[in-house]
Structures are given as C-alpha cells and as structure tokens.
C-alpha cells in the first residue's frame, strides 16, 4: 500500500498522466489504469527492456526503488492479463464488477485524449466484451461482489451480524462510498450520514436512502453519532488524524467505532487504531474476508480461463501482419506490454 499510494493517479488525471507517459516513455499507444489495488500501464512499443523505471518515474516524484514491485507482460501474456483483470479474476474479490467499469473509464479517458490506436482500441474493446461474457456464462459473480460489499460484511462481523440499530457515516460521496451505502441500506441500518466537500452531492446521495447530508466541516460532530465510518474521499492527504478521533471519544460514551478506510491514498492515519474501542481497517485488511467470500467463486475459474484463452488466441491471430493477398507475414507486430506496480 505504501508503494501504491506514491503511484496512484486520480481519475481526473488519467489523461494528463497518460500523455506524459506517451511522450516521455516513448510509447506508441498507452492506457493508464489506477485503482485501489493496482497501477498498470498498457502500451505498445517495439521494445520494453529498460523502459520500466522510466515509465513509472513519470507517475511519482518519490525517491523509491520500485524494482521489487514491478513486472512486465508482453504479447499474448499481456492480452491474457488484461482479460483476467477486466473479468474480475485478478481482483481481491474474485469476480467483482467494479473493475470492469474502472477499465472502461481508463480506456475512454485514453481514447478521448488520443492516446490509443489500432492495437489498444481493439484490445480494450475486446476486453470489455469478455468481461460481459464471463459474467453471463459463468457463476463467477455470485456472492460478495465488491470491496464495498466486503467492507459491509466486515462491519456485520464486528457487530454480530445485526446492523439494524447502527448509524453509518459515509465520508466522501464517490462511487465506492455510494456502493457501501447501497449495501448497508439493504442490511437495514438505522440511519445513514453522508459527509462530502460538495454539500449538493451529499444531499443527493442522502436523499436516495433517506439519510442526512452534512458538509465536510461537520464530519467530526457527526462521528459522535456514528457507529461505522466508511471513508473514500479521493483526497491526496490524510483527512482524519488520531487526535481528531481521540477528541470525540469522551462524547461517544465508550461505544465501539469502526473505521473502514477504503481510500488510496489512505484517508485515516494508521496510528488511530491505537485508540481504545476504535477499530481501523484499510483496503489490505479486507483480504481476510475476501478469501472467505472467494471460495465459491474459485470453482468457476477454469471456465473463465477457457474463455480468456480462446479469445486471446483469436485476438492475437487478428494482430498478425498480412500482405495484400491476406497471407501471414513473418514480421512481428508492435509489442503490447503490461507494466504493473502492485504491492
């Protein structure tokens, strides 16, 4: 996580960073994918050797050796990797659906910025088709579906499965926080508080679930009421420090407070977990529940892999260069490398 935080790219900055990668890392085409669990660069280039450090140095000013965290996939292996990622097979929660939307958004941002061409357009369009095929032809998507739903499941474990008398607070009204609200509403929570820098956006989300909206400055007073906080603001800096939480604990009357930080970079300072009756979980802590929920889905992996293998072979066949008569040529096509940083 410490490494991913230094490389993470906000959705609004994908196009800008993609342009920088294309110009400074000598990539012919490029799509940049940055989520809570991965930072990946998909590119076309005649050669990959020696480019990895130059590529990822474009994403961070931190002085850090990224060598232990990088790997490269080329050609068919890169194609298979993207297909597996889009289908949710490489996610913490196997078969989760959020990644498909994230891949789509990353591709559309690159396409709009003129960063894609013949190879990556066909690759990503095929990947999105395969994501749909995997979900309709297999049972990989059954059970817990996303990091948001797993976070809710964690809260149920802590409170013995009953959230009906609990107040939930969402800090940040982005898609991840919105997903958590939906799952919590289905589980019958008593009330929902939504705090966001945009009061208008908070009000829209709160109205949808009969909750209460408040401005970002009111977050600490609202935490006195809350039993569970789900934080996913997209802020580049910490928004809740240990001292902030410690200051409200006396007013809470010794009630447990669960803090679920699903943001990258993290919203909540790590030392907050040292406080009594405060339980802090970040994206990496969710893995224990992820493993439990993935057992049923693992049975479908072979069927998903068959789809990916078949579609990869077909796509690579289309990429083979041909002469005017349609005969295959011996020369290779531009290499498609997947460069990935993942802690």
């Amino acid at each position: 996580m410490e490494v991913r935080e230094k490389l993470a790219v906000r959705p609004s900055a994908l196009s800008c960073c993609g342009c920088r990668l294309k110009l400074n890392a000598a990539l012919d085409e490029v799509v940049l994918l940055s989520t809570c669990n991965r930072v990946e660069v998909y590119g076309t280039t005649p050669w990959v050797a020696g480019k990895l450090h130059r590529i990822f140095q474009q994403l961070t000013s931190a002085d850090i050796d990224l060598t232990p965290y990088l790997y490269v996939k080329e050609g068919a292996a890169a194609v298979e990797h993207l297909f597996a990622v889009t289908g949710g097979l490489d996610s913490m929660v196997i078969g989760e659906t959020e990644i498909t939307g994230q891949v789509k958004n990353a591709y559309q941002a690159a396409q709009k910025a003129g960063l894609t061409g013949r190879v990556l357009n066909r690759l990503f369009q095929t990947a999105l088709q395969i994501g749909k095929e995997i979900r309709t032809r297999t049972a990989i998507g059954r059970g817990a579906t996303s990091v948001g739903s797993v976070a809710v499941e964690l809260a149920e474990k802590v409170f013995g499965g009953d959230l009906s008398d609990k107040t939930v607070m969402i800090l940040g009204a982005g898609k991840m926080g919105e997903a958590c609200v939906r799952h919590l509403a289905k589980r019958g929570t008593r009330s929902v508080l939504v705090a966001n820098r945009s009061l208008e956006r908070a009000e829209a989300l709160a109205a949808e679930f009969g909750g209460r909206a408040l401005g970002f400055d009111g977050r600490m007073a609202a935490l006195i009421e809350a039993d569970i906080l789900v934080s996913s603001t997209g802020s580049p800096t910490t928004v809740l420090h240990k001292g902030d939480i410690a200051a409200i604990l006396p007013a809470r009357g010794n009630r447990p407070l669960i803090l679920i930080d699903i943001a990258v970079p993290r919203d909540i300072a790590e030392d907050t977990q040292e406080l009594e009756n405060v339980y802090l979980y970040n994206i990496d802590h969710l893995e224990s529940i992820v493993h439990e929920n993935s057992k049923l889905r693992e049975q479908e992996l072979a069927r998903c892999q068959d789809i990916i293998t078949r579609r990869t072979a077909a796509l690579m066949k289309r990429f083979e260069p041909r002469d005017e008569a349609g005969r295959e040529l011996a020369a290779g096509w531009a290499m498609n490398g997947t460069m990935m940083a993942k802690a």
Side-chain angles (χ1 to χ4, degrees), residues 169-173 194-199 202 213-222 231-235 237-240 267:
M169 178 176 167
I170 306 296
L171 188 58
V194 183
N196 192 55
R197 295 186 190 278
S198 167
L199 182 58
L214 52 139
F216 199 75
D217 291 341
R219 64 190 184 280
M220 299 314 303
S231 189
S232 180
T233 68
S235 171
T237 59
T238 301
V239 297
L240 288 176
D267 282 340

Side-chain angles (χ1 to χ4, degrees), residues 219-274:
R219 64 190 184 280
M220 299 314 303
L223 268 175
I224 297 174
E225 300 178 48
D227 300 290
I228 305 164
L229 170 70
V230 178
S231 189
S232 180
T233 68
S235 171
T237 59
T238 301
V239 297
L240 288 176
H241 297 272
K242 180 180 179 180
D244 299 329
I245 302 299
I248 66 166
L249 292 183
R252 292 179 49 80
N254 210 36
R255 288 164 31 237
L257 175 63
I258 298 178
L259 305 175
I260 301 176
D261 187 354
I262 54 179
V264 177
R266 286 170 287 186
D267 282 340
I268 305 173
E270 189 174 6
D271 58 356
T272 302
Q273 62 189 336
E274 299 170 1

Side-chain angles (χ1 to χ4, degrees), residues 102-145:
Q102 291 168 326
V103 169
K104 182 178 181 180
N105 291 339
Y107 167 56
Q108 289 179 337
Q111 186 183 41
K112 186 176 181 180
L115 301 176
T116 62
R118 181 182 71 91
V119 174
L120 291 191
N121 282 336
R122 180 163 288 175
L123 173 63
F124 275 82
Q125 289 164 12
T126 304
L128 294 171
Q129 293 169 5
I130 289 173
K132 183 177 180 180
E133 182 178 353
I134 284 174
R135 300 192 201 294
T136 55
R137 295 185 57 187
T138 75
I140 197 71
R142 293 180 183 172
T145 59

